[in-house]
Amino acid sequence: MLKVKSAEEIEWLRENNQIVSKTLAELGRMIRPGITTGELDRRADEFIRDHGAVPGFLGYGGFPNSICTSVNDAVVHGIPSDYELQEGDIISIDCGTIKHGYYGDTAYTFPVGEVDESVMRLLRATRESLFKGIEKAVAGNRVGDIGHAVQQHAENAGFSVVREMVGHGLGSNMHESPEVPNYGKQGRGSKLREGLVICIEPMINLGSRNIKQDRDGWTIRTMDGKPSAHYELAISVSNGKADVLSTFDYIEQSSTGIQTQQ
Ligand code: MG
Ligand code: MG
């Protein structure tokens, strides 16, 4: 049985995810060639604490930093370092918080300066596939409906879906049931109920879907070395349209994100 959240718990989760969304916008304003991923991490840590939360990733499963910074062929779980971003890179920043004993968890992939059009297409298609999934996150649908919608959109655009890493339930633990894969069959999987809070987070590759892990024990990379994109939002399932608890608006209103129609 999946845990559904009370109205109060949903507000705590919303507060966390709003802090994460604002943190990502703050980092987006700093992104430029020459800045290090370590500098972004330090600013995130400070910004989260200034907003009365604590970084949700720091120490989670032994993770050493407050954000994950995954550049180019890194899919997720990249560790901040003294790497200086370069013109043409893409960087996925995944960020989490804890406040009131509940988690926030949201991610955005930013272009650094001018990025190849083929890679920009990957970013736009990945972001769109997330929203296709969110459209299916309605009470009465099933987890497979979400994955199917994400997969269809990404594959129709000519990209491939990472299978090993998935979205998840969100609450007083960062990773709760159900798992929310970015592929699947319509009508399959757990039934979605009102008050279920989940993170949908497509990880979409320009080349093949295969991945490997670095020797650092964290960083997940594409096997073929081609770029990968990652966008994540937390949503609460309701009877009708999903209630999106995090947002890309702060990022995209400050024009640091990707330009989209949506
Ligand atoms: Mg995340
Ligand atoms: Mg997540």
Side-chain angles (χ1 to χ4, degrees), residues 57 77 94-95 104-107 166-170 174-175 198-201 203 230 232-233:
F57 292 2
H77 302 168
D94 196 347
C95 181
D105 183 14
T106 293
V166 296
H168 50 89
L170 185 72
M174 186 152 57
H175 297 115
I198 55 173
C199 287
I200 305 177
E201 51 178 314
M203 287 150 263
H230 177 217
E232 175 176 25
L233 289 166

Side-chain angles (χ1 to χ4, degrees), residues 3-262:
K3 263 196 282 179
V4 298
K5 270 57 182 190
S6 68
E8 186 178 42
E9 290 177 300
I10 290 170
E11 290 319 305
W12 289 336
L13 287 160
R14 190 189 312 280
E15 191 180 334
N16 272 284
N17 282 288
Q18 288 291 310
I19 295 170
V20 176
S21 302
K22 289 173 184 169
T23 308
L24 291 173
E26 171 70 8
L27 303 181
R29 286 188 284 271
M30 297 168 67
I31 288 174
R32 60 172 190 283
I35 195 166
T36 69
T37 53
E39 286 172 84
L40 296 173
D41 175 63
R42 287 189 286 282
R43 180 62 188 135
D45 189 284
E46 177 182 66
F47 190 93
I48 289 166
R49 294 180 197 279
D50 283 350
H51 285 74
V54 296
F57 292 2
L58 186 62
Y60 185 89
F63 190 75
N65 292 83
S66 296
I67 53 173
C68 298
T69 52
S70 306
V71 177
N72 297 336
D73 63 324
V75 180
V76 287
H77 302 168
I79 299 175
S81 69
D82 58 5
Y83 174 77
E84 290 182 7
L85 293 178
Q86 324 239 322
E87 180 90 18
D89 281 351
I90 57 170
I91 176 172
S92 149
I93 303 182
D94 196 347
C95 181
T97 57
I98 310 170
K99 189 173 181 177
H100 309 297
Y102 285 76
Y103 276 89
D105 183 14
T106 293
Y108 196 91
T109 302
F110 297 87
V112 182
E114 281 296 310
V115 168
D116 268 5
E117 183 49 31
S118 61
V119 179
M120 288 307 296
R121 275 202 297 275
L122 171 70
L123 300 190
R124 286 192 287 265
T126 305
R127 183 189 180 286
E128 286 160 7
S129 73
L130 165 57
F131 284 92
K132 296 290 179 192
I134 290 173
E135 280 174 24
K136 300 295 178 191
V138 171
N141 277 356
R142 290 178 180 272
V143 165
D145 294 313
I146 298 173
H148 180 77
V150 171
Q151 181 180 15
Q152 285 285 111
H153 190 78
E155 292 183 350
N156 286 343
F159 303 120
S160 62
V161 176
V162 172
R163 306 290 179 100
E164 296 85 348
M165 323 291 297
V166 296
H168 50 89
L170 185 72
S172 55
N173 291 298
M174 186 152 57
H175 297 115
E176 298 187 353
S177 294
E179 288 195 343
V180 184
N182 298 300
Y183 62 94
K185 292 193 164 65
Q186 289 173 298
R188 300 284 182 85
S190 305
K191 195 172 240 180
L192 303 172
R193 296 170 57 206
E194 187 170 12
L196 181 67
V197 174
I198 55 173
C199 287
I200 305 177
E201 51 178 314
M203 287 150 263
I204 308 296
N205 295 351
L206 187 70
S208 88
R209 69 175 179 82
N210 301 312
I211 56 170
K212 60 184 180 185
Q213 189 174 46
D214 277 3
R215 286 204 186 133
D216 64 16
W218 284 102
T219 313
I220 302 294
R221 287 184 196 282
T222 59
M223 199 80 91
D224 60 13
K226 292 184 178 167
S228 181
H230 177 217
Y231 291 84
E232 175 176 25
L233 289 166
I235 65 112
S236 172
V237 172
S238 38
N239 286 312
K241 222 165 159 259
D243 180 7
V244 186
L245 304 179
S246 36
T247 178
F248 297 149
D249 288 354
Y250 305 123
I251 297 170
E252 292 171 356
Q253 281 161 6
S254 57
S255 348
T256 58
I258 60 173
Q259 301 305 311
T260 64
Q261 263 50 271
Q262 206 150 11

